[in-house]
Amino acid sequence: MAQMNRRRALQLLAALGTTGLAAGCGSGNDESGDQAGSGSPIKVGLIVPGSGANKAIGDEITNGFQLFLSMRGQQIAGHPVTLVTAEEGDTAATGKAAVDRLLKEGVLALTGVVSPTVMTGIKDAVEEARVPLLGSNASPSTLQGVVYIWRTSYVLTEPGEALGEYLRQKLDASSRIAIFGTRGLGSQDVIEGLRRAYERGRRLTEDPIFTEDDPNPSRTLYSGPIRKALERKPDAVFCHYSGAQAVQFVKQLYAQGYRGPIYAPGFLTEGTALDQLDDGEKGRERKLIQTYGIETALNYSADLNNTANRIFASAYRKTFNSAPTTYAMASYDAALVLDKAIRLAGGNPSPQQVNLALGKVGQVDSPRGTWQFNQTRTPQQKWYLRRVQTDGRLLSNVVINELATLG
């Protein structure tokens, strides 16, 4: 697919910079020139957590999809869209209930899903219904052999794989890496990816330490495991945590006296987690982060310099008064891909026709950079090394370089 038309991009940027998001889409026309409401109305089902530890991620996913609709006059491929939201919960049963409810609503497609457990649990229901699901958060490697499930984020082994190759080149072969993660599919996948890429001619000498998967960890939950790991004097720490768990792990790691680099998938410092780790210009934690470093691997950063991201990030900041995250970006891309598929499927498509068309969308001009679906229905995309640095007066994830293309 060709890159976004330069004239169209400049028009959108100008509109966003002068009269806000509404002006950018006030004409009711999308970038392909469809008249607003020219197609029949459609429904899209959004599965996200509305409460609990993953609510912040669910909000980002909701924001990303709604931003796309706002920029296209509340339509996809010329069809007026109703976005129907269902509570994801955190189990296979709650996820299936959400799918069942949305199917009764007559949705053309599904999107969202934060939890790997939920994604695995709803697989059969989605496949049997033959309604496409565009999952917009990282998914487990065990999700195989699907026909109607597509992912616009990534497989959980990939951030570990991207960092594993980087650490193999950066660290001495004798380096000790303390490895932490929660019990569950997510951390197992991430650590497997790390091991796969790092252990090429060398070995990880430390066994992973899996901690309790508590969505609201106490201020001492990780202290014991951290203390035990530090007795072996690691040269680096690799970890897989997000949200409140990420914040508490880093705080407790420093409190136990660790003074060295931290490496992790981008979840560790994404969204509100980094805000909560930033204790100000004179703060102790900020100084430790700046001195010893936190580097993460992710498929996106809000400061990527491409036309699609300048438009997306500018609109997101104006609309939600914050920088976009990978969660919002992947959900925005889910809407973008669905838009392209519905165009290919024709005027009044069925879910099955949309699913068939998803395999034909080709390259996607995304805020993360150009990507395309591979044979397993996940993105083939670039991975970036990000370092936590000050950007103005705040800590920010700053892209240092590209790590790899995976998928």
Side-chain angles (χ1 to χ4, degrees):
M1 187 191 75
Q3 296 289 315
M4 180 180 292
N5 178 275
R6 179 175 175 81
R7 180 180 177 185
R8 174 62 175 162
L10 292 173
Q11 289 172 339
L12 280 172
L13 283 170
L16 291 169
T18 56
T19 57
L21 181 59
C25 55
S27 67
N29 296 343
D30 67 17
E31 65 187 77
S32 292
D34 290 334
Q35 296 298 314
S38 62
S40 58
I42 60 174
K43 293 181 180 180
V44 176
L46 177 65
I47 303 170
V48 286
S51 61
N54 287 330
K55 181 181 183 301
I57 299 175
D59 290 346
E60 289 279 336
I61 287 173
T62 301
N63 290 350
F65 204 96
Q66 288 184 332
L67 181 65
F68 182 92
L69 294 180
S70 295
M71 296 174 73
R72 303 304 194 281
Q74 299 300 319
Q75 58 178 304
I76 289 180
H79 296 262
V81 174
T82 299
L83 189 62
V84 186
T85 303
E87 171 60 46
E88 175 179 328
D90 55 11
T91 67
T94 57
K96 187 176 184 304
V99 170
D100 290 344
R101 183 194 146 203
L102 292 171
L103 292 176
K104 290 179 181 178
E105 291 274 355
V107 297
L108 182 65
L110 300 163
T111 190
V113 188
V114 172
S115 166
T117 300
V118 171
M119 178 62 85
T120 302
I122 66 176
K123 170 187 172 183
D124 290 344
V126 172
E127 293 291 301
E128 289 171 8
R130 301 175 67 211
V131 173
L133 165 63
L134 287 155
S136 49
N137 195 33
S139 60
S141 63
T142 52
L143 194 67
Q144 300 289 337
V146 291
V147 176
Y148 283 86
I149 299 179
W150 306 73
R151 276 68 57 85
T152 59
S153 184
Y154 55 85
V155 177
L156 278 161
T157 53
E158 291 179 1
E161 188 174 350
L163 275 173
E165 178 64 25
Y166 171 68
L167 294 179
R168 188 173 65 86
Q169 296 178 21
K170 181 174 182 176
L171 300 180
D172 186 88
S174 62
S175 296
R176 291 182 179 274
I177 306 175
I179 304 170
F180 293 87
T182 59
R183 297 186 182 94
L185 290 176
S187 289
Q188 291 175 18
D189 273 351
V190 167
I191 293 170
E192 173 57 30
L194 171 73
R195 187 181 302 279
R196 184 188 305 162
Y198 186 83
E199 291 188 335
R200 294 172 181 168
R202 61 171 66 177
R203 293 191 62 189
L204 291 167
T205 58
E206 306 300 309
D207 291 330
I209 297 173
F210 292 106
T211 58
E212 184 179 347
D213 191 8
D214 187 338
N216 296 295
S218 70
R219 295 183 180 182
T220 59
L221 178 63
Y222 307 116
S223 297
I226 288 172
R227 195 159 45 242
K228 181 179 178 181
L230 294 187
E231 290 174 356
R232 297 181 63 82
K233 302 187 185 315
D235 301 289
V237 164
F238 178 94
C239 59
H240 176 243
Y241 296 100
S242 63
Q245 294 178 335
V247 174
Q248 282 301 320
F249 178 81
V250 173
K251 286 178 178 289
Q252 292 173 41
L253 186 65
Y254 287 145
Q256 290 299 316
Y258 178 69
R259 300 294 182 265
I262 301 172
Y263 303 98
F267 291 156
L268 189 76
T269 57
E270 191 73 350
T272 58
L274 186 57
D275 297 335
Q276 294 175 57
L277 285 171
D278 192 349
D279 55 357
E281 294 178 10
K282 297 182 179 179
R284 174 173 171 268
E285 285 164 4
R286 178 189 275 211
K287 291 179 180 177
L288 290 171
I289 290 171
Q290 291 175 313
T291 300
Y292 298 101
I294 297 179
E295 293 185 343
T296 64
L298 203 59
N299 61 344
Y300 177 70
S301 181
D303 66 346
L304 288 176
N305 186 21
N306 62 64
T307 300
N309 189 50
R310 286 193 294 273
I311 293 170
F312 167 70
S314 175
Y316 195 93
R317 288 187 176 99
K318 286 182 177 294
T319 306
F320 303 108
N321 197 31
S322 63
T325 63
T326 188
Y327 314 117
M329 178 278 298
S331 188
Y332 178 90
D333 273 9
L336 174 61
V337 167
L338 187 58
D339 180 275
K340 296 181 183 303
I342 292 174
R343 292 181 193 284
L344 290 171
N348 189 28
S350 67
Q352 296 77 35
Q353 289 170 327
V354 172
N355 193 71
L356 184 64
L358 283 167
K360 302 176 182 178
V361 297
Q363 289 190 331
V364 180
D365 187 15
S366 163
R368 78 187 82 176
T370 303
W371 65 271
Q372 61 187 17
F373 285 119
N374 61 19
Q375 289 185 344
T376 60
R377 289 164 160 70
T378 57
Q380 183 179 29
Q381 61 189 324
K382 291 180 180 179
W383 282 82
Y384 303 95
L385 179 68
R386 313 185 310 170
R387 183 176 298 147
V388 177
Q389 295 179 346
T390 52
D391 183 8
R393 300 182 64 181
L394 300 175
L395 290 179
S396 181
N397 294 298
V398 178
V399 172
I400 304 302
N401 56 43
E402 295 178 11
L403 286 174
T405 297
L406 299 174

